[in-house]
Amino acid sequence: MAHNITGKKVAFLLTNGVEQAELAEPWKAVEQAGGQPVLVSPESGSITAMKGDWDHADSFPVDVPLAQARVEDFDALVLPGGTVNADTMRLEKDAVQLVRGFAEAGKPISAICHAPWILIEAGLVEGRHMTSYASLESDLKNAGADWVDEQVVTDRGLTTSRNPGDLEAFCAKMLEEISEGRHDEA
């Protein structure tokens, strides 16, 4: 089922080391559904993506510097993975605060692979049903999440997936949640 998100602005929060497929495929899905993807980063100019953790891939221009990003300017948030990207972003205080702001506003958040690290840092996983890259299982459980090994999991507007092999299901669920809009906390 196709979801129309025309007029919705979607922030993609990331930095150097992002897994290229986990940025490019959701970005394309947002565009094809009529939404406007916006790359938000603590970097200026452009970021360099990776294929896996070792091979440099393409560069992508930064649309909005992290310091200027405001929750009220967007309808949803996408957190692509990539080990280096996710580990770096969870240490960025402004990024953690932005993610927390999306959750407080009830706006959909989609995180794949290692990206749930920033959700842990933001204090957003306790009591949530989630999935992630397998190496984050203990991290998420220790932070109070109900972790499962499933292709895609959604809990009150928070969508998570395990890895690039889950991107088709991840993108479909991400678009569904964005089209639904605001999700009140339970």
Side-chain angles (χ1 to χ4, degrees):
M1 177 178 182
H3 295 282
N4 184 333
I5 61 168
T6 299
K8 301 232 180 191
K9 211 167 161 183
V10 181
F12 281 69
L13 180 60
L14 55 112
T15 193
N16 291 308
V18 67
E19 175 70 43
Q20 180 155 323
E22 294 171 4
L23 165 60
E25 290 189 37
W27 185 281
K28 182 180 173 185
V30 166
E31 286 182 325
Q32 289 178 341
Q36 178 188 356
V38 177
L39 197 154
V40 177
S41 179
E43 300 298 322
S44 59
S46 65
I47 60 93
T48 301
M50 304 291 276
K51 289 184 181 173
D53 287 332
W54 305 108
D55 297 321
H56 284 253
D58 297 326
S59 291
F60 297 87
V62 173
D63 297 313
V64 176
L66 175 58
Q68 296 174 14
R70 299 173 351 155
V71 172
E72 53 271 18
D73 294 339
F74 300 99
D75 298 290
L77 175 64
V78 176
L79 302 169
T83 310
V84 173
N85 168 64
D87 193 39
T88 301
M89 292 307 294
R90 69 180 170 163
L91 298 176
E92 285 283 342
K93 300 291 185 217
D94 289 343
V96 172
Q97 187 57 42
L98 185 68
V99 171
R100 194 176 292 125
F102 272 90
E104 290 168 355
K107 294 183 178 184
I109 299 173
S110 300
I112 187 166
C113 203
H114 287 81
W117 268 338
I118 196 169
L119 299 172
I120 292 169
E121 195 66 32
L124 301 176
V125 306
E126 187 171 358
R128 295 251 194 188
H129 189 66
M130 300 176 68
T131 194
S132 67
Y133 192 72
S135 66
L136 273 67
E137 176 182 357
S138 293
D139 296 339
L140 283 162
K141 285 180 175 179
N142 289 339
D146 172 27
W147 187 90
V148 293
D149 184 12
E150 295 177 11
Q151 189 175 39
V152 65
V153 175
T154 300
D155 183 334
R156 295 169 279 158
L158 175 61
T159 299
T160 51
S161 281
R162 302 171 299 190
N163 56 55
D166 296 337
L167 277 164
E168 185 176 341
F170 176 75
C171 290
K173 196 61 168 166
M174 169 194 74
L175 292 175
E176 178 183 331
E177 294 300 307
I178 294 169
S179 71
E180 288 176 3
R182 189 170 160 26
H183 291 73
D184 292 318
E185 283 294 314

